[in-house]
């Protein structure tokens, strides 16, 4: 059949496979914008100790709930008179740190489980997959609450909780790509040449799953930031006096009518950072791994 | 279909078992003595010792699990440390409110998410399509608590058209009051799911529209509306329903946050307080009820899936 | 057959009036690399009840021609010119989408190559046939369903009442193509496009499907435009043939003329590539090279790169499709032109 697509295939110049990742991303202006947002958030997190910011915990009873643009406080102050601009930088540092650490934990654990179950199959796969099924049987946020109920609220426990919730996400993706890669010619060739299991797993299969993993991690970071901030918002994550964007939002909520900026500023920061990761993730997926398109 | 149903039912058994194991072990995994945890800090040493004896904490774990599971099956979820009342009736009362919120959110997500997804696919590569997908991406990135607070700022404080908290006015109210109170929380909770559904629906529809059988339908003289809403949507719905099942889990779990923002008297709020107060029986009861209902919701979704896809129904 | 199903026969104003007359049909596709002409000024004409074959390699534009006439070209494709006269209709290309829908599936219908994917997997086959009848015959659901069972019976499907309740995946490829035929013939069309109707089927089933098509077309008096790359199918089925190459008609003749004395080197090449009894033992000849990229057609004749008989004139200008003296057959080749360019 001469369909439109068969006509096209002969006529459209194939996209060069060697075209660099950056060049492909650059074409997608939205994901470039996402990248800028991410860089901005990362800059805030890294630069907090080096910038001439006020002490984020310095209480000033004389200037509580100062509005945006108040003298000496560019973004105003919160209910204890603490400088919001400074707290945005330091709070972002905690939010990003917790989310990135949780993502790394989930990625490493999930990747390992996915590799092992997809490669060895048999009872290993059955045990791991059933375990993952049980984790997935819990509604997304409920599992995090369960873990916190066991370990108690706190920054570290919150991080472990949201990490655990996202282990199945990575395990499933990597198991899928391992299943298809284990039958690939070069894996069979490596096996024929006597390569050991660990070499095949980490050298061949993991390396070739890397694009998928990069895309999954970027998209997952968006979830993680939301989840970490949500736990803090509920008072189950970061505990005072430490604070992140989630706790800032929660405490600002008491003053919605008199000083809305105390809650919408950290809210906006979370939104823009998550949006950044999602835009970047979409762009990376299109560039690196089009099969993952939803 | 009967075989599929039986197979699917059999699959839920290990999952239910796994959930019960996890909930049972919560007490044992938590730091401290289970009897102390169950009775709370104010209990007398005698009461703790009695409970230890009662629970058989000195016996093997498997025996303890058996006894615990036996009590759960009979509806005995223990007593709340904080309220000093039986857990199950309290949990169920709150769970009803959570279900109302979740159902409202689901209705919003289905109508708007799927509707916008279909229209975006139908008007592919138009301004509507791009705008809808941009809004959807923003919607996915909006944390629920921020959406809720923004909604309160705008509609409760700015225009003062909707109440900002609770289910009913203080003096009590009727169904209409409930709907007024439900609107903002339901939309807030359902926003992310609506955005995800819109994206999935659009891409599923665009993929189906490329298929040969759509061309067949056009060659038959089927109108463009029927091609989209009947021939294409019925096929795309198989993908959509799968994602919908996952979204129900997201809504059930995520309602915790929405309940906190709008002071909705649901199970989530109760559980957050119970976690902070280390009221373990209440937490266990809440986790068990939500997780088990999610298992059965998933079962129902899979049956709908099979009903939608004859290739599964007749195999 | 009951007469209810037959379209009211319009009194022929002129005994020789063609059923379908396509002139100068052009269809373009916009691609990233530029606009290509998939169909480039094709003219054809079909008599009522006739089987007209279009033959060519994939990419020759034969399917796009049919889809253009049906009004089924989708973006990025576009019909850019020409007229399609059908029965009393002045030009199908000027019709609104709603007007075309009344004709499609009713007076003109189409069978596609892939019976595996051309039926909707989630609807019962009876429903899919009944749908055509509900659209074009304004039947009630029950009437249409019963009619669908009758049509399944007519296309040779055993226990049709039971089969009507089944889904496409429960049927074999041959059965699915029978369902497609039942669907296409449901409203007794006067013109049927059959786009590679047997290509995807087993050899044993191919003959059955072709026989079925001949039988139904005889009963209903439909004309068939048969699109295929298979010269054997053409020889068996068609009365007239057009050979297409890179979007244009290279040669048009009756089946006897074409097979007995092919004029165009491309037609000769196609005929040489089919196995025959008398050439048993000899190796089959394939036409060297591939169909040219439609974006970068050679200057002059578009077949000259692959043509054994190419000479200097062929590079100078594109030959016109011209009628041979004392005959109705047409050919597009400088070899048969009285005044080739020098």
């Amino acid at each position: 059949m001469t369909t439109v697509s068969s006509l096209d295939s002969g006529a459209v110049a194939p996209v060069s496979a060697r075209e660099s990742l950056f060049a492909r991303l650059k074409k997608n202006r939205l994901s470039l914008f996402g990248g800028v947002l991410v860089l901005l958030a990362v800059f805030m997190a890294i630069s907090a100790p080096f910038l001439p910011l006020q002490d984020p915990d310095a209480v000033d009873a004389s200037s509580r709930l100062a509005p945006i643009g108040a003298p000496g406080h560019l973004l105003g102050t919160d209910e204890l008179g603490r400088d919001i601009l400074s707290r945005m930088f330091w709070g972002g540092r905690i939010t990003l740190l917790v989310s990135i650490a949780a993502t790394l934990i989930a990625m490493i654990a999930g990747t390992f489980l996915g590799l092992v179950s997809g490669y060895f199959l048999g009872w290993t796969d059955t045990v791991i997959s059933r375990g993952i099924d049980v984790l997935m049987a819990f509604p997304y946020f409920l599992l995090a609450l369960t873990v916190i109920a066991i370990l108690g609220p706190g920054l570290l426990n919150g991080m472990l909780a949201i990490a655990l919730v996202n282990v199945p996400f990575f395990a499933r993706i990597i198991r899928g790509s391992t299943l298809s890669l284990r039958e690939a010619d070069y894996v069979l060739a490596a096996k024929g040449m006597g390569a050991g299991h660990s070499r095949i797993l980490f050298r061949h299969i993991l390396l070739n799953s890397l694009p998928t993993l990069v895309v999954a991690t970027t998209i997952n970071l968006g979830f993680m930031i939301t989840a970490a901030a949500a736990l803090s918002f509920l008072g189950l994550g970061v505990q005072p006096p430490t604070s992140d964007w989630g706790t800032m939002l929660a405490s600002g909520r008491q003053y919605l009518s008199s000083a809305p900026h105390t809650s919408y500023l950290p809210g906006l920061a979370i939104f823009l950072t998550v949006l950044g990761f999602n835009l970047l993730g979409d762009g990376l997926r299109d560039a690196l791994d089009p099969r993952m398109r939803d | 279909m009967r075989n599929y149903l039986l197979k699917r039912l059999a699959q839920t058994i290990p999952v239910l078992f796994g959930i019960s194991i996890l909930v049972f072990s919560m007490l044992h995994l938590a730091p401290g003595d289970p009897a102390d945890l169950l009775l709370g800090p104010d209990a007398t040493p005698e009461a703790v010792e009695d409970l230890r004896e009662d629970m058989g904490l000195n016996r093997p774990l498997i025996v303890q699990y058996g006894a615990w599971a036996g009590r759960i099956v009979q509806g005995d979820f223990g007593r709340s440390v904080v309220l000093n009342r039986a857990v199950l009736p309290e949990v169920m009362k709150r769970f009803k409110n959570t279900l109302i919120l979740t159902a409202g959110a689901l209705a919003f997500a289905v109508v708007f998410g799927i509707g916008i997804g279909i229209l975006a696919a139908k008007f592919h590569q138009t301004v509507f399509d791009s705008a809808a997908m941009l809004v959807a991406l923003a919607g996915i990135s909006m944390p629920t608590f921020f959406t809720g607070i923004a909604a309160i700022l705008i509609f409760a404080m700015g225009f003062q058209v909707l109440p900002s908290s609770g289910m009913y006015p203080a003096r009590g109210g009727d169904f209409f009051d409930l709907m007024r109170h439900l609107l903002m929380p339901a939309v807030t909770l359902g926003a992310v799911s609506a955005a995800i559904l819109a994206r999935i629906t659009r891409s599923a529809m665009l993929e189906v529209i490329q298929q040969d059988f759509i061309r067949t339908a056009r060659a038959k003289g089927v109108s463009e509306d029927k091609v989209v809403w009947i021939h294409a949507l019925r096929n795309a719905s198989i993908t959509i329903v799968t994602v919908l099942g996952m979204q129900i889990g997201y809504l059930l779990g995520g309602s915790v946050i929405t309940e906190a923002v709008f002071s909705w008297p649901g199970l989530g709020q109760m559980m957050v307080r119970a976690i902070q107060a280390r009221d373990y029986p209440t937490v266990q009861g809440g986790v068990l009820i939500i997780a088990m209902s999610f298992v059965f919701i998933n079962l129902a979704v899979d049956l709908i899936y099979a009903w939608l896809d004859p290739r599964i129904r007749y195999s | 057959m009951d007469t209810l199903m037959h379209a009211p026969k319009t009194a022929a104003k002129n005994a020789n009036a063609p059923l379908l007359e396509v002139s100068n049909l052009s269809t373009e596709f916009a691609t990233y690399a530029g606009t290509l002409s998939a169909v480039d000024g094709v003219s054809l004409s079909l008599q009522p009840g006739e089987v007209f074959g279009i033959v060519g390699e994939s990419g020759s534009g034969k399917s796009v021609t049919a889809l253009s006439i049906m009004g089924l070209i989708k973006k990025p494709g576009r019909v850019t010119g020409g007229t399609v006269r059908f029965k009393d209709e002045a030009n199908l290309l000027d019709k609104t989408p709603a007007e075309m829908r009344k004709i499609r599936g009713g007076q003109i219908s189409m069978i596609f190559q892939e019976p595996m994917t051309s039926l909707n997997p989630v609807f019962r086959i009876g429903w899919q046939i009944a749908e055509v009848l509900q659209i074009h015959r304004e039947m009630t659901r029950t009437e249409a369903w019963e009619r669908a069972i009758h049509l399944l019976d007519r296309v040779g499907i055993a226990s049709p009442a039971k089969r009507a309740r089944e889904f496409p995946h429960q049927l074999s490829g041959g059965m699915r193509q029978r369902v497609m035929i039942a669907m296409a013939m449901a409203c007794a069309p006067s013109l049927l496009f059959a786009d590679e109707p047997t290509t995807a089927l087993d050899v044993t089933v191919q003959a059955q499907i072709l026989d079925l098509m001949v039988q139904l077309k005889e009963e209903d008096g439909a004309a068939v435009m048969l699109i295929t790359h298979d010269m054997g199918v053409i020889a068996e089925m068609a009365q007239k043939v057009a050979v297409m190459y890179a979007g244009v008609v290279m040669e048009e003749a009756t089946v006897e003329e074409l097979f007995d004395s092919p004029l165009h080197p491309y037609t000769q090449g196609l005929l040489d590539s089919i196995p025959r009894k008398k050439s048993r033992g000899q190796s089959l000849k394939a036409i060297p090279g591939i169909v040219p990229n439609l974006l970068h057609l050679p200057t002059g004749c578009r077949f000259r790169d692959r043509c054994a008989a190419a000479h200097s004139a062929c590079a100078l200008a594109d030959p016109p499709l011209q009628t041979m003296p004392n005959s109705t057959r047409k050919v597009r080749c400088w070899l048969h032109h009285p005044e080739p360019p020098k």
Side-chain angles (χ1 to χ4, degrees):
Chain A
M1 257 290 307
T2 312
T3 58
V4 179
S5 55
S6 69
L7 272 171
D8 279 357
S9 60
V12 179
V15 181
S16 161
R18 266 188 224 100
E19 196 180 17
S20 78
L21 174 61
F22 183 68
R24 272 183 275 173
L25 267 184
K26 217 166 61 176
K27 280 194 200 137
N28 188 339
R29 269 178 294 165
L30 268 180
S31 54
L32 209 64
F33 174 65
V36 171
L37 288 176
V38 167
L39 281 180
L40 212 66
V42 170
F43 166 78
M44 281 176 81
I46 294 177
S47 68
F50 309 109
L51 291 177
L53 293 166
Q54 299 174 31
D55 179 352
D57 299 321
V59 176
D60 179 2
S62 64
S63 71
R64 295 170 53 208
L65 300 174
I68 295 179
H73 302 290
L74 196 61
L75 294 181
T77 58
D78 69 2
E79 74 279 5
L80 296 176
R82 298 175 292 195
D83 182 58
I84 292 183
L85 177 69
S86 167
R87 291 178 68 74
M88 291 284 282
F89 274 77
W90 287 94
R93 197 174 160 87
I94 302 284
T95 298
L96 277 185
L97 206 70
V98 169
S99 334
I100 291 173
T103 304
L104 285 178
I105 296 171
M107 184 190 80
I108 292 168
T111 303
F112 180 77
L113 290 175
L115 277 176
V116 169
S117 70
Y119 183 75
F120 291 108
L121 298 177
W123 66 267
T124 321
D125 182 39
T126 309
V127 169
I128 295 177
S129 292
R130 289 295 86 75
I132 299 284
D133 280 352
V134 171
L135 289 188
M136 303 229 349
F138 281 84
Y140 186 66
F141 206 66
L142 185 72
L143 188 59
L145 289 185
T146 309
V147 174
I148 291 188
I150 295 171
L151 301 176
L155 182 146
L156 209 64
N157 295 344
M159 186 177 79
L160 287 176
I162 57 175
L164 179 73
V165 172
N166 285 282
V167 167
F169 173 79
F170 287 100
R172 288 213 151 182
I173 289 176
I174 295 301
R175 180 177 178 273
S177 95
T178 307
L179 274 180
S180 61
L181 284 173
R182 74 192 296 272
E183 305 297 336
D185 289 340
Y186 54 84
V187 169
L188 296 178
K191 256 186 197 166
M193 283 157 64
H197 287 318
S198 62
R199 190 181 165 80
I200 291 174
L201 265 178
F202 293 104
R203 187 70 187 250
H204 295 281
I205 294 181
L206 184 59
L207 214 63
N208 281 288
S209 308
L210 225 50
T212 313
L213 203 56
V214 167
V215 175
T217 307
T218 313
I219 291 173
N220 195 247
L221 266 163
F223 292 142
M224 285 290 196
I225 292 170
T226 319
L231 280 184
S232 298
F233 177 79
L234 292 174
L236 300 175
V238 174
Q239 299 294 310
T242 319
S243 70
D244 69 353
W245 288 340
T247 49
M248 286 172 72
L249 188 62
S251 55
R253 197 160 69 93
Q254 317 298 325
Y255 309 95
L256 263 188
S257 48
S258 53
H261 66 287
T262 52
S263 40
Y264 76 66
L265 282 175
L268 217 54
I270 299 169
F271 166 62
L272 289 177
T273 311
V274 175
L275 183 68
F277 277 109
N278 284 342
L279 285 172
L280 188 64
D282 271 13
L284 282 173
R285 184 192 55 204
D286 291 351
L288 283 176
D289 194 1
R291 279 169 308 138
M292 263 183 82
R293 283 207 88 126
D294 45 34
Chain B
M1 189 68 175
R2 225 188 75 221
N3 287 344
Y4 178 79
L5 183 75
L6 290 176
K7 205 178 90 191
R8 193 60 191 74
L9 266 174
Q11 278 172 357
T12 61
I13 292 168
V15 172
L16 284 175
F17 184 65
I19 290 172
S20 71
I21 295 264
L22 200 74
V23 172
F24 167 73
S25 10
M26 280 175 74
L27 272 179
H28 298 269
L29 290 171
D33 183 82
D36 281 336
L37 293 176
L38 280 181
L39 291 176
D42 301 331
T44 60
E46 292 78 37
V48 173
E49 201 43 51
D50 278 356
L51 186 65
R52 286 188 64 87
E53 199 59 42
D54 233 33
M55 288 173 69
L57 286 180
N58 304 318
R59 283 181 286 164
L61 274 177
I62 181 119
V63 178
Q64 293 181 42
Y65 171 76
W68 177 81
R71 284 197 301 276
I72 293 293
V73 170
Q74 288 164 30
D76 176 8
F77 282 50
R79 291 184 81 77
S80 159
V81 178
V82 174
L83 297 170
N84 196 24
R85 269 182 285 196
V87 164
L88 188 60
E90 291 297 317
V91 165
M92 290 315 281
K93 198 171 77 193
R94 293 300 199 109
F95 188 49
K96 195 192 86 194
N97 295 345
T98 295
L99 280 183
I100 292 174
L101 174 59
T102 309
L106 185 66
F108 169 75
V110 165
V111 171
F112 280 82
I114 298 179
I116 287 173
I118 293 171
L119 292 178
K122 195 177 168 191
F123 300 105
H124 184 41
Q125 287 175 344
T126 63
V127 179
F128 176 82
D129 182 21
S130 323
M133 285 309 108
L134 214 60
V135 171
L137 195 71
I140 288 176
S141 311
M142 272 295 263
T144 309
F145 46 89
F146 184 45
T147 314
I149 284 174
I152 290 177
L153 268 175
I154 296 169
F155 296 105
M157 297 185 164
F159 296 112
Q160 307 199 335
V161 285
L162 288 169
S164 67
S165 68
M167 274 179 85
Y168 294 101
R171 54 174 167 79
D174 53 13
F175 180 75
F176 176 74
D177 286 313
L178 175 62
M179 288 298 124
R180 250 171 62 82
H181 280 78
L182 179 61
L183 187 60
M184 261 201 310
V187 171
T188 299
L189 177 57
V192 172
S193 297
I196 291 175
L197 279 173
R199 279 164 56 116
I200 295 288
T201 303
R202 173 179 174 272
S203 65
M205 288 292 285
L206 286 178
E207 199 178 312
V208 170
I209 294 260
Q210 298 295 320
Q211 304 285 321
D212 287 347
F213 56 78
I214 294 297
R215 188 185 54 192
T216 306
R218 291 200 172 110
K220 278 156 73 172
V222 176
S223 71
E224 202 56 24
D225 280 339
K226 276 191 174 163
V227 166
V228 171
W229 291 94
I230 296 179
H231 288 256
L233 182 59
R234 189 50 212 283
N235 279 275
S237 64
I238 296 168
T239 315
I240 297 170
V241 163
T242 315
V243 177
L244 195 64
M246 283 154 51
Q247 289 311 306
I248 295 176
Y250 174 87
L251 294 177
L252 269 176
S255 69
V256 178
I257 301 153
T258 310
E259 287 173 16
V261 174
F262 292 97
S263 312
W264 188 266
L267 186 51
Q269 279 232 73
M270 187 189 199
M271 283 177 60
V272 170
R273 269 186 228 130
I275 290 171
Q276 278 159 341
R278 300 180 69 86
D279 180 356
Y280 277 90
T282 305
V283 178
Q284 281 180 308
V287 171
L288 206 57
I289 290 294
I290 298 181
M292 281 188 352
S293 23
F294 186 44
V295 168
F296 287 106
I297 288 169
N298 266 331
L299 186 66
V301 167
D302 275 9
L303 294 184
I304 294 174
Y305 182 88
W307 176 75
L308 283 172
D309 191 348
R311 283 159 294 190
I312 292 179
R313 209 182 338 157
Y314 294 89
S315 58
Chain C
M1 285 310 307
D2 58 334
T3 47
L4 180 94
M5 293 309 299
H6 291 262
K9 297 262 187 295
T10 42
K13 280 176 268 173
N14 176 344
N16 290 327
L19 175 74
L20 177 79
E21 194 167 17
V22 178
S23 35
N24 267 318
L25 181 70
S26 294
T27 301
E28 291 179 347
F29 285 86
T31 71
Y32 291 109
T35 301
L36 59 84
S37 295
V39 175
D40 191 0
V42 165
S43 302
L44 301 164
S45 115
L46 248 85
Q47 298 299 320
E50 180 180 50
V51 177
F52 189 101
I54 300 185
V55 62
E57 293 166 274
S58 55
S60 60
K62 51 194 197 303
S63 296
V64 179
T65 303
L67 293 172
S68 304
I69 297 168
M70 293 276 285
L72 287 176
I73 292 293
K74 301 293 293 176
K75 272 194 243 176
R78 196 166 63 90
V79 177
T80 51
T83 53
V84 175
R85 256 186 264 275
F86 174 71
K87 286 188 177 168
D88 299 331
E89 310 283 359
N91 187 0
L92 292 187
L93 300 179
D94 290 340
K95 295 229 169 272
T96 64
E99 288 169 336
M100 268 319 279
R101 276 202 297 276
K102 288 212 178 95
I103 294 172
R104 272 203 304 267
Q107 299 184 62
I108 306 180
S109 58
M110 188 157 181
I111 304 169
F112 298 98
Q113 173 177 3
E114 286 294 337
M116 310 313 262
T117 53
S118 292
L119 289 167
N120 196 319
V122 300
F123 294 114
R124 297 178 197 279
I125 58 168
W127 185 90
Q128 298 192 47
I129 298 171
E131 190 185 26
V132 194
L133 295 159
Q134 284 177 277
I135 294 170
H136 296 286
R137 285 284 184 267
E138 287 163 6
M139 286 188 184
T140 65
R141 222 196 262 188
T142 345
E143 284 170 349
W145 181 266
E146 265 157 30
R147 186 73 212 165
I149 293 174
H150 176 83
L151 285 161
L152 285 174
D153 186 39
R154 198 178 160 211
V155 294
I157 286 179
S159 39
K162 182 174 151 279
R163 288 293 186 182
R165 298 191 54 77
E166 294 193 337
F167 291 91
H169 76 276
Q170 293 168 291
L171 272 56
S172 69
M175 289 226 273
R176 288 186 218 187
Q177 199 62 304
R178 284 174 193 269
V179 172
M180 284 297 291
I181 292 173
M183 206 162 17
M185 302 302 282
C187 299
S190 36
L191 175 59
L192 173 70
F193 288 100
D195 188 354
E196 306 268 13
T198 58
T199 307
L201 302 175
D202 288 345
V203 186
T204 47
V205 184
Q206 285 186 5
Q208 295 171 16
I209 296 292
L210 289 178
D211 287 347
L212 176 67
M213 282 177 56
V214 171
Q215 178 206 329
L216 293 185
K217 126 184 176 34
E218 293 296 328
E219 287 172 13
D220 286 10
V224 177
M225 188 177 271
L226 179 66
I227 295 159
T228 181
H229 67 278
D230 187 338
M231 279 296 203
V233 172
I234 294 283
E236 196 174 321
M237 299 274 295
Q239 281 111 49
K240 274 171 83 181
V241 194
V243 178
M244 279 190 73
Y245 184 80
V248 294
V249 174
M250 284 299 197
E251 180 166 7
E252 192 189 316
T254 65
V255 163
E256 294 78 18
E257 288 168 338
L258 194 88
F259 279 80
D260 291 346
S261 59
L263 292 180
H264 200 288
Y266 179 59
T267 314
Q268 288 163 3
L270 284 179
L271 289 172
D272 283 345
S273 64
I274 39 172
R276 286 158 194 255
K277 265 197 192 131
K278 60 181 173 187
S279 60
R280 190 176 282 179
Q282 291 170 274
S283 63
L284 291 173
K285 277 179 259 172
I287 305 171
I290 53 161
V291 180
N293 185 332
L294 290 172
L295 281 171
H296 308 288
L297 288 174
T299 55
C301 173
R302 47 193 86 196
F303 183 60
R304 71 181 167 89
D305 288 352
R306 303 172 68 189
C307 183
H311 56 287
S312 58
C314 302
L316 293 174
D318 197 5
L321 184 68
Q322 124 258 355
T323 311
M324 296 298 288
N326 309 322
S327 151
T328 53
R329 61 188 303 189
K330 298 171 188 159
V331 66
R332 185 189 292 272
C333 182
W334 291 126
L335 288 176
H336 302 284
H337 198 274
E339 295 163 14
K342 299 217 168 66

